[in-house]
Amino acid sequence: QGFVYVAFIIDVFARIIVGWRVSSTAHTDFVLDALEQALCQRRPEGKVTHHSDRGCQGGFNRSSQHL
Protein backbone atom coordinates (compact mmCIF):
# COMPACT_ATOMS: atom_id res chain seq x y z
CA GLN A 1 0.00 0.00 0.00
CA GLY A 2 1.17 3.52 -0.70
CA PHE A 3 3.46 4.97 -3.29
CA VAL A 4 6.49 3.52 -5.02
CA TYR A 5 9.10 5.92 -6.38
CA VAL A 6 11.26 4.97 -9.36
CA ALA A 7 14.36 6.73 -10.66
CA PHE A 8 15.49 5.96 -14.21
CA ILE A 9 18.70 7.20 -15.79
CA ILE A 10 18.37 7.07 -19.57
CA ASP A 11 21.11 7.35 -22.17
CA VAL A 12 19.09 9.41 -24.63
CA PHE A 13 21.55 8.89 -27.48
CA ALA A 14 21.52 5.08 -27.16
CA ARG A 15 17.84 5.03 -26.07
CA ILE A 16 18.41 2.63 -23.19
CA ILE A 17 18.00 2.73 -19.43
CA VAL A 18 21.47 2.64 -17.88
CA GLY A 19 20.57 3.06 -14.22
CA TRP A 20 17.47 2.58 -12.07
CA ARG A 21 16.33 2.26 -8.48
CA VAL A 22 13.00 1.77 -6.70
CA SER A 23 12.18 3.13 -3.25
CA SER A 24 9.23 3.44 -0.89
CA THR A 25 10.39 6.97 0.04
CA ALA A 26 11.25 9.95 -2.15
CA HIS A 27 14.71 10.57 -0.73
CA THR A 28 17.69 11.80 -2.71
CA ASP A 29 19.82 8.74 -1.94
CA PHE A 30 17.95 6.35 -4.20
CA VAL A 31 18.29 8.81 -7.11
CA LEU A 32 22.02 9.08 -6.50
CA ASP A 33 22.25 5.27 -6.39
CA ALA A 34 20.65 5.12 -9.86
CA LEU A 35 23.08 7.79 -11.05
CA GLU A 36 26.05 5.83 -9.67
CA GLN A 37 24.84 2.69 -11.45
CA ALA A 38 24.56 4.59 -14.73
CA LEU A 39 28.00 6.16 -14.36
CA CYS A 40 29.60 2.80 -13.57
CA GLN A 41 27.89 1.12 -16.51
CA ARG A 42 28.59 3.79 -19.14
CA ARG A 43 31.85 5.36 -17.83
CA PRO A 44 31.33 8.66 -19.66
CA GLU A 45 34.30 10.80 -20.58
CA GLY A 46 33.92 14.53 -20.37
CA LYS A 47 30.77 16.46 -19.61
CA VAL A 48 27.51 14.81 -18.52
CA THR A 49 24.14 16.58 -18.81
CA HIS A 50 21.07 15.60 -16.83
CA HIS A 51 17.42 16.64 -16.62
CA SER A 52 14.74 15.82 -14.07
CA ASP A 53 10.97 16.04 -14.03
CA ARG A 54 11.09 16.47 -10.26
CA GLY A 55 13.81 19.09 -9.85
CA CYS A 56 11.68 20.84 -7.22
CA GLN A 57 12.46 18.00 -4.81
CA GLY A 58 15.80 19.65 -4.09
CA GLY A 59 17.92 16.51 -4.31
CA PHE A 60 18.91 17.19 -7.87
CA ASN A 61 21.15 20.02 -6.77
CA ARG A 62 23.06 17.33 -4.90
CA SER A 63 23.21 15.16 -8.03
CA SER A 64 24.67 18.10 -9.98
CA GLN A 65 27.37 18.47 -7.35
CA HIS A 66 27.90 14.71 -7.42
CA LEU A 67 28.58 14.77 -11.16
Side-chain angles (χ1 to χ4, degrees), residues 23-46:
S23 178
S24 60
T25 58
H27 292 286
T28 306
D29 292 335
F30 91 100
V31 176
L32 292 177
D33 288 344
L35 181 61
E36 283 291 329
Q37 179 185 9
L39 291 172
C40 286
Q41 183 175 352
R42 302 302 280 184
R43 300 191 185 271
E45 293 182 15

Side-chain angles (χ1 to χ4, degrees), residues 3-59:
F3 288 99
V4 175
Y5 301 91
V6 182
F8 290 102
I9 309 297
I10 300 171
D11 182 332
V12 179
F13 183 76
R15 297 181 182 177
I16 59 172
I17 295 171
V18 293
W20 65 277
R21 287 290 185 270
V22 177
S23 178
S24 60
T25 58
H27 292 286
T28 306
D29 292 335
F30 91 100
V31 176
L32 292 177
D33 288 344
L35 181 61
E36 283 291 329
Q37 179 185 9
L39 291 172
C40 286
Q41 183 175 352
R42 302 302 280 184
R43 300 191 185 271
E45 293 182 15
K47 189 175 181 180
V48 176
T49 303
H50 80 285
H51 166 75
S52 167
D53 291 346
R54 301 287 294 185
C56 61
Q57 292 281 359

